[in-house]
Amino acid sequence: MVKKHFLSLISCMVLATSPAMAESKFHKFLTTQSIGDRKWFNHVDVAGTIGTSGLGFDVAFPMSEWAQLRLGGTWMPYIHFDPSFGIEVAEDLPKDIQGSRFNNMADKMENLLGTRPELSVQMEGDASMSNFKCLVDIFPIKKNRNFHVTVGFYYGNTDLIAAAVSPNSMRNLTVIGALNTLYRKALGDKHASIIDAEGLGVTIPAGISFENTNRELRKWGEKANDAVKNWDDLYGREVENKVYSENAFNVAIGQYSHDIVAKEDIYYDYTAELDNPYNEQIGTDNQGSPVYREVKYQTDENGRPIVKGGIRYHKGELMHKAGDPIRMVPDENNQISVAGRGWWKFKPFVGVGYSVPITKDRRTMLGIDAGVTIWGGTPAIDVKVPLGQDAAGNKIYNTVNLVKDAKSMPGSVDKYVKLVKLLPVMPEISIRISQRLW
């Protein structure tokens, strides 16, 4: 009865997929020959598999005396991984200064919020892949059906990795995101009120300025230009040639492996005003007297004033040289995310296998298959790095592919990136247990 229903189902499937098949030799073959005479469907095996492609199942039936077709699927269970990144305080400062600034900030945040941030960001990620599989086993040795050669394909998703900041590290990014917002506000307008005390019902005595608050906030990103050699003079003191990092806190993830150019015009989304504006001589007048201009804003590596709405990079202009550090900051949701993508949906497979019976009636088989699956494509692990804004004021991010755009990454991150680089040609090995239904 089971065999009859199964064959009827196969016939319906064939008719549904191709009406013209109704008069074909194949259809006549199904409907006129006895089961014992048929080369197709004269028995059916069901099987479970486990291997490098994950857990799987298939249904197998013969195509001829020398080949069988296997249809099924595989599912790679979530493989958990947990890369970590270090927090950078300001930019390019010695580690002892970084540590001192972070501890100072952590002490204040612990007093204010009751929790103490850490000097690293832990991420949690999962890798998962699901595929339909269509494989043909060929038995080249007529008197030995234990050995087979397999060709076919897998078909499934192209994305593999998704990672985000762990719940325990979210507080770090929340604090960092909040402080970076306050820092950039203090950097953009030194005389602005960071906290609307009067709006909270607090009476502000006449003459009280918020400059001290802003000065404290700006300290997180203080640096010095090349004229200052003694870092101890910079930290905790006022110096004439002080400059500031774009963000007080960053998440460092390595270095750029090649030059990166702007894909569109990019504008600054903040203003960096100098602590000590000065007059710069720009020439002389008709009488030979010097002519000055007031310099109020910090300038970037291109000599342009860092002013909100001012041009930062022209389209096609060099943004980062090979070897420059890659720095991330939390997005609007206080989150940093990583995504792995870029493999083919259609993944060819070729391999060999061997199976042996494990029951006396020879209806239960144990087999092993080995081969390679061509995942192909251009694998990428993407992170987003903020750049500024476009002409309309929308935020612009640079998508950095850690596979091709980055080097010198932290150990745990580098390990995962190296693994992804190997996936276009994925070695496959699996164990298969099958049971014959009839």
Side-chain angles (χ1 to χ4, degrees):
M1 181 65 69
V2 174
K3 289 184 280 186
K4 181 179 179 181
H5 286 171
F6 182 80
L7 292 172
S8 298
L9 176 63
I10 293 297
S11 297
C12 291
M13 290 172 61
V14 172
L15 290 171
T17 53
S18 179
M21 186 68 74
E23 296 300 322
S24 69
K25 292 181 179 180
F26 182 74
H27 180 247
K28 293 177 180 179
F29 173 78
L30 279 176
T31 56
T32 61
Q33 295 193 23
S34 67
I35 292 176
D37 294 335
R38 294 185 186 126
K39 297 297 188 295
W40 286 71
F41 313 123
N42 62 7
H43 65 258
V44 174
D45 298 336
V46 294
T49 61
I50 183 171
T52 53
S53 59
L55 303 175
F57 75 94
D58 60 61
V59 178
F61 37 83
M63 299 169 63
S64 69
E65 62 181 359
W66 53 267
Q68 74 171 1
L69 176 65
R70 280 194 276 156
L71 299 176
T74 60
W75 173 65
M76 182 186 292
Y78 286 113
I79 300 173
H80 190 74
F81 60 98
D82 53 355
S84 60
F85 302 98
I87 291 178
E88 181 184 52
V89 185
E91 300 167 1
D92 306 320
L93 297 182
K95 287 187 177 180
D96 57 339
I97 299 298
Q98 294 238 6
S100 297
R101 289 193 184 183
F102 186 85
N103 288 331
N104 191 358
M105 181 273 288
D107 289 341
K108 292 183 178 180
M109 288 302 103
E110 188 172 24
N111 292 334
L112 180 63
L113 303 176
T115 59
R116 186 178 184 85
E118 301 172 354
L119 198 52
S120 65
V121 173
Q122 192 73 33
M123 303 194 74
E124 293 181 350
D126 295 305
S128 180
M129 178 70 76
S130 300
N131 288 291
F132 164 78
K133 65 179 176 183
C134 177
L135 304 175
V136 176
D137 296 324
I138 300 170
F139 305 97
I141 305 174
K142 186 173 183 179
K143 295 183 178 181
N144 182 0
R145 292 183 63 85
N146 299 97
F147 173 76
H148 61 264
V149 176
T150 302
V151 294
F153 65 88
Y154 291 81
Y155 186 89
N157 56 302
T158 62
D159 299 339
L160 179 66
I161 298 169
V165 176
S166 70
N168 289 335
S169 286
M170 275 296 292
R171 66 183 183 188
N172 283 20
L173 292 191
T174 300
V175 170
I176 289 170
L179 284 174
N180 275 342
T181 299
L182 293 174
Y183 164 81
R184 282 163 69 103
K185 187 172 182 179
L187 201 63
D189 187 349
K190 296 184 176 62
H191 306 291
S193 173
I194 300 300
I195 300 174
D196 183 8
E198 292 184 345
L200 297 174
V202 179
T203 301
I204 305 299
I208 298 296
S209 169
F210 283 87
E211 176 59 21
N212 289 337
T213 303
N214 288 350
R215 185 181 296 113
E216 286 298 311
L217 286 167
R218 293 198 304 276
K219 276 187 179 180
W220 305 122
E222 286 180 356
K223 301 194 300 177
N225 61 23
D226 293 337
V228 174
K229 302 300 181 184
N230 185 352
W231 290 99
D232 291 332
D233 283 345
L234 171 66
Y235 186 60
R237 301 185 187 182
E238 293 295 327
V239 294
E240 289 295 322
N241 39 12
K242 187 185 302 178
V243 294
Y244 295 99
S245 303
E246 180 175 348
N247 292 285
F249 301 95
N250 302 280
V251 179
I253 59 173
Q255 299 175 343
Y256 288 99
S257 59
H258 58 91
D259 292 349
I260 305 293
V261 299
K263 297 179 181 179
E264 58 184 303
D265 289 343
I266 299 169
Y267 300 82
Y268 281 105
D269 58 357
Y270 71 103
T271 296
E273 192 174 348
L274 292 172
D275 270 347
N276 303 292
Y278 63 92
N279 292 322
E280 176 186 43
Q281 183 175 345
I282 58 174
T284 57
D285 58 20
N286 294 334
Q287 287 72 40
S289 300
V291 175
Y292 298 93
R293 70 177 178 95
E294 184 182 31
V295 179
K296 295 181 60 177
Y297 301 105
Q298 187 175 324
T299 56
D300 60 20
E301 64 274 12
N302 297 309
R304 302 183 186 118
I306 302 176
V307 181
K308 184 174 182 179
I311 191 71
R312 182 172 190 174
Y313 302 110
H314 292 288
K315 182 178 180 179
E317 189 172 9
L318 179 68
M319 296 191 299
H320 301 287
K321 301 188 297 293
D324 283 351
I326 302 172
R327 296 185 171 103
M328 295 188 297
V329 294
D331 60 20
E332 296 86 348
N333 299 314
N334 295 318
Q335 185 60 271
I336 290 174
S337 59
V338 177
R341 58 171 180 80
W343 291 274
W344 292 341
K345 285 182 177 292
F346 182 87
K347 308 171 184 72
F349 172 83
V350 61
V352 296
Y354 197 86
S355 59
V356 294
I358 57 176
T359 58
K360 288 184 178 181
D361 61 5
R362 303 179 67 86
R363 295 175 67 85
T364 305
M365 304 287 286
L366 175 65
I368 185 169
D369 289 275
V372 292
T373 302
I374 310 300
W375 286 32
T378 307
I381 300 179
D382 293 336
V383 297
K384 288 187 176 181
V385 178
L387 291 175
Q389 63 185 29
D390 60 19
N394 301 308
K395 288 195 173 183
I396 296 178
Y397 292 87
N398 178 35
T399 299
V400 178
N401 178 0
L402 298 184
V403 174
K404 69 172 186 177
D405 296 333
K407 63 179 183 179
S408 303
M409 290 167 284
S412 61
V413 179
D414 188 58
K415 177 179 67 176
Y416 296 124
V417 171
K418 286 180 178 178
L419 175 62
V420 166
K421 288 181 178 180
L422 299 175
L423 292 182
V425 180
M426 178 69 173
E428 293 279 352
I429 185 168
S430 64
I431 295 174
R432 181 175 183 265
I433 299 179
S434 66
Q435 176 64 45
R436 180 155 298 180
L437 297 183
W438 69 77

